Amino acid sequence: MRAELNKYIEKPWGYEKWIAVTDHYALKEIFLKKGCRTSLQYHNYKEEHSYVLSGQLSIEEDNINKEMETNVYNPGDIIHALPTYKHRVTALEDSVFIEVSTPYLDDVVRVEDDYNRQ
């Protein structure tokens, strides 16, 4: 069965294409422009896995001890963001990644944001 794109959202750092949203999961394609970054954020309930398709990403993220560290991700790498763990993605190159998550799409707590969003 053919489906339509659920939603396209322009962001100050690129865009999100919401490919599928169900009661059980959400699937997005995310584009991040070189030199831009997302907010430093965490989710109370949402859990995410992302697969890097192209580009290179630097991610500030809590490690298992909830201490911030920075890691670089390349095409083929997988990123796992657990609920309550802080993370911020910076594009070292124009980058595209696929994100699958639990469907709590409004569950974003911004700690810092370059674009003054709440």
Side-chain angles (χ1 to χ4, degrees):
M1 171 185 328
R2 186 177 300 267
E4 298 294 322
L5 186 65
N6 191 281
K7 190 183 282 191
Y8 178 89
I9 302 172
E10 288 284 337
K11 298 283 190 170
W13 39 257
Y15 66 75
E16 291 183 352
K17 288 182 184 176
W18 293 18
I19 299 166
V21 178
T22 75
D23 292 342
H24 305 287
Y25 64 87
L27 177 67
K28 299 177 185 178
E29 174 188 299
I30 300 173
F31 169 71
L32 198 58
K33 293 182 273 192
K34 179 181 178 180
C36 293
R37 64 184 185 172
T38 65
S39 59
L40 176 61
Q41 60 185 272
Y42 65 90
H43 313 288
N44 289 307
Y45 305 103
K46 183 180 176 194
E47 183 171 355
E48 304 168 338
H49 274 88
S50 297
Y51 180 78
V52 181
L53 293 174
S54 64
Q56 187 175 57
L57 303 169
S58 172
I59 303 186
E60 300 165 67
E61 56 192 339
D62 276 341
N63 63 22
I64 197 69
N65 299 314
K66 290 228 173 168
E67 298 165 340
M68 291 296 288
E69 61 184 30
T70 301
N71 297 296
V72 174
Y73 292 86
N74 295 294
D77 287 341
I78 298 169
I79 305 144
H80 186 197
L82 291 164
T84 75
Y85 283 66
K86 294 189 302 286
H87 54 283
R88 179 194 335 243
V89 182
T90 301
L92 301 177
E93 302 173 356
D94 282 354
S95 300
V96 176
F97 55 101
I98 297 293
E99 175 189 285
V100 64
S101 71
T102 51
Y104 306 105
L105 298 176
D106 294 327
D107 177 23
V108 178
V109 179
R110 289 190 174 92
V111 178
E112 295 176 2
D113 186 60
D114 295 344
Y115 311 101
N116 299 312
R117 295 172 296 168
Q118 296 299 317

